[in-house]
């Protein structure tokens, strides 16, 4: 990923997330509850909206089973994108319909951007030089046992060197 592309993406308008896209990813979060779901939101390159959901496979349990020391968390509290989904993600940045948002759900704990989420987005521990791996925003869904509490969108702020909330969406009973 060229740094130039990344800068352009992060200075772009906040993506518009239509109600039907929200309904679709809320349904995904309900289906995988009490485990985390994850996926991509795509849309036309030259417009500030997303109009397509691509559900990803949360590989966290598989990696946890293979190597519990390196992957201490289960899918109950983490997500991990597999090779096929990562390839789709990277290749989308060259095409007319890039992935603009990576979404995942937080079962029971609320829609905040966790230290683990920051590490996943940076590919390493945050420090003075760490940059996000991909030019995308991150949407976190508040998944509860009997409803969706809502969702929040987070974007990397280069000056603060942190992910900051830039939008919030209503929940669903
Ligand atoms: Zn998370």
């Amino acid at each position: 990923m060229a740094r130039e592309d990344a800068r352009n993406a992060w200075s772009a308008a906040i993506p518009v997330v239509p109600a039907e896209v929200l309904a679709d990813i809320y349904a995904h979060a309900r289906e995988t509850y009490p485990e985390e779901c994850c996926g991509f939101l795509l849309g036309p390159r030259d417009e500030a909206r997303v109009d397509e959901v691509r559900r990803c496979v949360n590989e966290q349990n598989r990696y946890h089973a293979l190597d519990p020391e390196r992957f201490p968390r289960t899918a109950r509290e983490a997500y991990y994108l597999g090779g096929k989904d990562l390839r789709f993600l990277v290749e989308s940045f060259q095409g007319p319909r890039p992935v603009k948002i990576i979404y995942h759900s937080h079962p029971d704990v609320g829609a905040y951007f966790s230290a683990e989420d920051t590490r996943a987005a940076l590919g390493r521990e945050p420090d003075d030089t760490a940059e996000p791996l991909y030019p995308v925003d991150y949407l976190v869904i508040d998944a509860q046992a009997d409803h969706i509490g809502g969702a929040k969108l987070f974007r990397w702020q280069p000056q603060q060197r942190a992910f900051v909330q830039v939008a919030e969406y209503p929940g669903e009973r």
Side-chain angles (χ1 to χ4, degrees), residues 75-122:
R76 183 97 179 66
E77 46 184 7
Y79 72 99
Y80 194 90
L81 296 168
K84 197 168 151 229
D85 287 325
L86 281 180
R87 263 196 307 283
F88 178 91
L89 173 69
V90 170
E91 284 171 7
S92 84
F93 298 137
Q94 311 303 325
R97 295 179 51 77
V99 173
K100 299 178 180 180
I101 293 173
I102 297 177
Y103 72 88
H104 73 285
S105 62
H106 276 184
D108 300 322
V109 297
Y112 69 103
F113 209 72
S114 69
E116 182 65 21
D117 292 334
T118 299
R119 274 194 293 275
L122 300 176

Side-chain angles (χ1 to χ4, degrees), residues 98-160:
V99 173
K100 299 178 180 180
I101 293 173
I102 297 177
Y103 72 88
H104 73 285
S105 62
H106 276 184
D108 300 322
V109 297
Y112 69 103
F113 209 72
S114 69
E116 182 65 21
D117 292 334
T118 299
R119 274 194 293 275
L122 300 176
R124 58 191 249 203
E125 293 294 328
D127 60 20
D128 288 347
T129 59
E131 300 270 354
L133 293 171
Y134 311 111
V136 298
D137 296 321
Y138 287 83
L139 187 146
V140 183
I141 302 163
D142 171 13
Q144 302 290 333
D146 58 353
H147 71 284
I148 299 293
K152 291 176 181 172
L153 188 69
F154 299 89
R155 171 171 286 195
W156 175 251
Q157 301 293 341
Q159 291 84 2
Q160 296 165 252

Side-chain angles (χ1 to χ4, degrees), residues 29-44:
R30 288 179 195 265
E31 283 171 38
T32 62
Y33 182 92
E35 295 184 342
E36 295 192 9
C37 70
C38 54
F40 304 143
L41 302 184
L42 298 67

